[in-house]
Amino acid sequence: MFVFCVLNLLKLKNMIIKQLSVFLENKSGRLHEVFEIFGENNINVSACSVADTSEFGILRMIVSEPEKARDVLKEKLFSVNISEVISFATPNTPGALAKALQILSKANISIEYLYGFSVGEKSFIALRSDNVEQAIMELQRNQMELISASDLYKF
Amino acid sequence: MFVFCVLNLLKLKNMIIKQLSVFLENKSGRLHEVFEIFGENNINVSACSVADTSEFGILRMIVSEPEKARDVLKEKLFSVNISEVISFATPNTPGALAKALQILSKANISIEYLYGFSVGEKSFIALRSDNVEQAIMELQRNQMELISASDLYKF
Amino acid sequence: MFVFCVLNLLKLKNMIIKQLSVFLENKSGRLHEVFEIFGENNINVSACSVADTSEFGILRMIVSEPEKARDVLKEKLFSVNISEVISFATPNTPGALAKALQILSKANISIEYLYGFSVGEKSFIALRSDNVEQAIMELQRNQMELISASDLYKF
Amino acid sequence: MFVFCVLNLLKLKNMIIKQLSVFLENKSGRLHEVFEIFGENNINVSACSVADTSEFGILRMIVSEPEKARDVLKEKLFSVNISEVISFATPNTPGALAKALQILSKANISIEYLYGFSVGEKSFIALRSDNVEQAIMELQRNQMELISASDLYKF
């Protein structure tokens, strides 16, 4: 029983994805620079999204080695933060994503933002909520296909 | 020659992707509602990203039938707009995205925002620039793999 | 004693400022339109601030008649919401605003955003926190100069 | 004639306001820190506004000594930028601000964002446009009351 709990806890931990947030003072130039630094350091980008103002941007990314990525960006004087998100896949059919969001909504888990892409038969979503652990448990309990950190980083 | 130009123009037009932007007064509840309306109307979401403030969100999406999607959302009193973006694929390897951004940067095309996901051997990107047509031409001239509207909508 | 409590409660309520948030699909044109509608309807703007993305804006405002303002904008098909903020004045001297923010910080009240202007000997601030009522009580307890709704609307 | 032009040019330059933009990784804590650093360094804040996402904020400010302010914040490892805005005053009456925005709109000058406060008989506005110099000339030509950098910094 104890082993079972520890295993579940480990599984939960592995479902928490570390997302990088990078402040871009100048959207075009700095955006390019971030991806160039990643290229030189062999860091792969699994997902990305820019939240923008007229002048600036905040680049959110899921990358292959989050801590290393943060360190190489900080060396180049970028403002970088790590926050926790979850990732899951749904069938790439109308209404499938609504079903996942309804599960979270019914459990009173609020969503701060999400980003995703549909490829072939699946849609892949990264999602930030106010309660990452509860979101994972609700989605698991409802047989949604969560994507673990180790799976996402190597995509 | 004339036929060639018209064909090229048609190809260019087909590379311009119509993106929906929907204002979410209440991030969690309204987000769920949008995807539910799409499910009921058989509209598929190819890509999505939320630009957020503390209280509100702007949901950007590439969907299977942009005009129909806009109309069904407007009927439900959402604020909806259509703007133009481009989409392309790069190999899912470190530095591949940097190369695409460098092409745009060298041509002085500025990027307002982007969002994307890597799946299997490819990364799929949606990108908004101040000059969508020139961005398409530069990426094509450099043998980047652009994704057409018709391909993206049916993904 | 009972009367005293009711009076305090009334005072507290009067310190809660109703802020309008209006979605601007097109920053320049719609911004102008909002203020024109207010001019025609004799609604005065006490404070305003735009939170912007590359393409859109969210115009936050404190106005003389919030409910009427919301209704006239909704008639013109704007997306409008009312949320609660507080407003206070500090001396227009270096460090005075820091003192007010420290009071909130010490009480673990988090700030979502603020906007303000210094004129003559005073700085006027509108502030949105996760706990408006506690913010009011903490600022009052520390002899900060809160501005009531009735005072602000007629400014 | 030459002297006249130089004087006009000097006047134009003095109407361009230097605005600081500071990235806040953590809205509450860092906000307080910025104003505390300004207090210690005797820097006064004439106007401020936060453009926010769920997690981060961008604090825009007009301060008494912009270059010094940037330097003391950079020493504390804040990401800081300086951009140009204009500031003007209108009568604090319904419709007065609409008139100023109409002047810019008619001259096809687009507005990225603005923030302002009404105090007593006047409304004070800070405004960012895509063409700061033309905005100044249009407002001057229409007898609007521009506020110079030297006046604003000492407010």
Side-chain angles (χ1 to χ4, degrees):
Chain A
M1 178 62 189
F2 172 72
V3 173
F4 180 74
C5 282
V6 169
L7 277 178
N8 261 357
L9 204 63
L10 281 175
K11 261 175 74 183
L12 182 70
K13 280 287 161 221
N14 192 28
M15 292 307 173
I16 297 177
I17 313 282
K18 288 180 183 163
Q19 175 193 254
L20 252 68
S21 298
V22 184
F23 176 60
L24 307 172
E25 305 162 350
N26 163 318
K27 279 179 286 180
S28 290
R30 297 292 266 173
L31 196 56
H32 170 222
E33 208 182 326
V34 169
F35 290 112
E36 206 159 53
I37 292 168
F38 283 179
E40 287 159 10
N41 288 277
N42 220 28
I43 291 163
N44 210 16
V45 178
S46 297
C48 61
S49 172
V50 173
D52 56 307
T53 72
S54 306
E55 300 158 303
F56 307 101
I58 288 156
L59 172 58
R60 295 161 175 159
M61 287 174 295
I62 301 174
V63 299
S64 52
E65 295 164 271
E67 281 86 4
K68 179 181 162 191
R70 180 192 53 200
D71 294 347
V72 296
L73 288 176
K74 286 210 163 178
E75 261 171 48
K76 303 279 183 176
L77 300 180
F78 280 91
S79 278
V80 193
N81 274 70
I82 289 183
S83 53
E84 297 180 339
V85 299
I86 60 171
S87 183
F88 57 91
T90 69
N92 182 10
T93 51
L97 183 51
K99 208 182 131 194
L101 298 183
Q102 193 175 30
I103 291 165
L104 298 176
S105 173
K106 273 191 181 160
N108 284 319
I109 296 165
S110 72
I111 298 167
E112 293 189 353
Y113 54 81
L114 57 76
Y115 47 103
F117 239 91
S118 303
V119 181
E121 296 184 355
K122 287 200 175 174
S123 299
F124 300 89
I125 301 290
L127 182 149
R128 164 87 184 158
S129 90
D130 59 345
N131 190 333
V132 168
E133 303 202 357
Q134 203 199 336
I136 290 172
M137 286 186 294
E138 288 295 332
L139 291 174
Q140 275 180 331
R141 220 166 49 80
N142 286 275
Q143 281 81 46
M144 301 301 297
E145 182 189 346
L146 279 151
I147 302 175
S148 67
S150 47
D151 280 346
L152 193 60
Y153 298 157
K154 74 172 171 221
F155 256 15
Chain B
M1 181 61 190
F2 171 74
V3 174
F4 180 72
C5 283
V6 170
L7 277 178
N8 261 358
L9 202 66
L10 282 174
K11 261 173 77 183
L12 181 71
K13 280 288 162 223
N14 192 28
M15 292 307 173
I16 297 177
I17 313 283
K18 287 180 184 164
Q19 174 194 255
L20 252 68
S21 298
V22 184
F23 176 61
L24 307 172
E25 305 163 349
N26 162 316
K27 279 180 286 180
S28 290
R30 297 291 267 173
L31 195 57
H32 169 220
E33 207 180 328
V34 169
F35 290 111
E36 207 158 55
I37 292 168
F38 283 179
E40 287 159 10
N41 288 278
N42 219 30
I43 291 162
N44 209 17
V45 178
S46 297
C48 62
S49 173
V50 173
D52 56 307
T53 72
S54 306
E55 299 159 303
F56 307 101
I58 288 157
L59 172 58
R60 293 161 176 160
M61 288 175 295
I62 300 172
V63 301
S64 53
E65 294 164 89
E67 281 86 5
K68 179 181 163 190
R70 179 193 54 199
D71 293 346
V72 295
L73 289 177
K74 286 209 164 180
E75 260 172 49
K76 303 282 183 173
L77 300 181
F78 280 91
S79 276
V80 192
N81 274 69
I82 290 184
S83 52
E84 297 180 341
V85 298
I86 61 170
S87 183
F88 57 91
T90 69
N92 182 9
T93 50
L97 184 50
K99 206 181 132 196
L101 298 182
Q102 193 176 30
I103 291 165
L104 299 177
S105 174
K106 273 190 182 163
N108 284 318
I109 297 165
S110 71
I111 299 166
E112 293 190 351
Y113 54 82
L114 56 75
Y115 47 102
F117 238 91
S118 303
V119 180
E121 297 184 355
K122 289 201 176 175
S123 298
F124 300 89
I125 301 291
L127 182 149
R128 165 86 183 158
S129 90
D130 58 346
N131 190 334
V132 168
E133 303 202 356
Q134 203 200 337
I136 290 172
M137 286 186 293
E138 288 295 331
L139 291 173
Q140 274 179 332
R141 221 167 48 81
N142 286 275
Q143 279 80 46
M144 302 300 298
E145 182 188 347
L146 278 151
I147 303 174
S148 67
S150 48
D151 280 347
L152 192 59
Y153 297 158
K154 73 172 171 220
F155 257 12
Chain C
M1 179 62 188
F2 172 73
V3 173
F4 180 72
C5 283
V6 169
L7 277 177
N8 262 355
L9 203 64
L10 282 175
K11 261 174 75 181
L12 182 71
K13 281 286 162 222
N14 192 29
M15 291 307 172
I16 297 177
I17 312 284
K18 287 180 183 164
Q19 176 194 254
L20 251 67
S21 298
V22 184
F23 176 61
L24 307 172
E25 305 163 348
N26 162 317
K27 279 180 285 181
S28 290
R30 297 292 265 174
L31 195 57
H32 169 219
E33 208 181 327
V34 169
F35 290 111
E36 206 159 55
I37 292 168
F38 284 179
E40 286 159 11
N41 287 279
N42 221 28
I43 290 162
N44 210 17
V45 178
S46 297
C48 62
S49 172
V50 173
D52 57 308
T53 73
S54 305
E55 299 158 304
F56 307 101
I58 289 157
L59 171 58
R60 294 161 175 159
M61 287 175 295
I62 302 173
V63 300
S64 53
E65 294 165 90
E67 281 85 4
K68 179 181 163 192
R70 180 193 52 199
D71 294 346
V72 295
L73 288 176
K74 286 210 163 180
E75 260 172 50
K76 303 279 183 175
L77 300 180
F78 280 91
S79 277
V80 192
N81 274 70
I82 289 183
S83 53
E84 296 180 341
V85 298
I86 59 170
S87 184
F88 58 90
T90 68
N92 182 9
T93 52
L97 183 51
K99 207 181 133 195
L101 298 183
Q102 193 175 31
I103 291 165
L104 299 176
S105 174
K106 273 191 181 161
N108 283 320
I109 297 165
S110 71
I111 299 166
E112 294 190 351
Y113 55 82
L114 57 74
Y115 46 102
F117 239 90
S118 302
V119 180
E121 297 183 354
K122 288 202 175 173
S123 299
F124 300 90
I125 302 289
L127 182 149
R128 165 86 184 159
S129 90
D130 58 346
N131 191 333
V132 168
E133 302 203 356
Q134 204 200 335
I136 291 171
M137 286 187 292
E138 288 296 332
L139 291 174
Q140 276 180 331
R141 222 167 47 81
N142 286 275
Q143 280 80 48
M144 301 301 297
E145 182 188 346
L146 279 151
I147 303 175
S148 67
S150 48
D151 280 346
L152 193 59
Y153 299 157
K154 74 168 173 226
F155 255 15
Chain D
M1 179 61 190
F2 172 74
V3 173
F4 179 73
C5 282
V6 171
L7 277 178
N8 260 358
L9 203 64
L10 282 175
K11 260 174 77 182
L12 182 71
K13 281 286 162 222
N14 192 29
M15 291 308 172
I16 297 177
I17 313 283
K18 288 181 184 163
Q19 175 193 254
L20 252 67
S21 297
V22 184
F23 177 61
L24 306 172
E25 305 163 349
N26 163 318
K27 279 180 286 181
S28 290
R30 297 292 266 173
L31 195 57
H32 170 221
E33 208 181 326
V34 169
F35 290 112
E36 206 159 54
I37 292 168
F38 283 179
E40 286 159 11
N41 287 277
N42 220 30
I43 291 162
N44 209 16
V45 178
S46 297
C48 61
S49 172
V50 173
D52 57 307
T53 73
S54 306
E55 300 158 303
F56 307 101
I58 288 156
L59 171 58
R60 293 160 175 161
M61 287 175 294
I62 300 173
V63 300
S64 53
E65 295 164 272
E67 281 85 5
K68 179 181 163 189
R70 181 193 53 198
D71 294 346
V72 296
L73 288 176
K74 285 209 162 180
E75 260 171 49
K76 302 280 184 176
L77 300 180
F78 280 91
S79 277
V80 192
N81 274 68
I82 289 184
S83 52
E84 296 181 339
V85 298
I86 59 171
S87 183
F88 57 90
T90 69
N92 183 9
T93 51
L97 184 50
K99 206 182 133 195
L101 298 182
Q102 193 175 29
I103 291 165
L104 299 177
S105 174
K106 272 190 181 163
N108 284 319
I109 297 166
S110 71
I111 299 167
E112 294 190 351
Y113 53 82
L114 58 74
Y115 45 101
F117 238 90
S118 302
V119 180
E121 297 184 355
K122 287 200 176 175
S123 299
F124 299 90
I125 301 290
L127 182 149
R128 164 86 184 159
S129 91
D130 59 345
N131 191 333
V132 168
E133 303 202 357
Q134 203 200 336
I136 291 172
M137 286 186 294
E138 288 296 332
L139 291 174
Q140 274 179 330
R141 220 166 49 81
N142 286 275
Q143 280 79 48
M144 301 300 297
E145 181 188 348
L146 279 150
I147 303 174
S148 67
S150 48
D151 280 346
L152 193 59
Y153 298 157
K154 74 172 173 223
F155 256 13

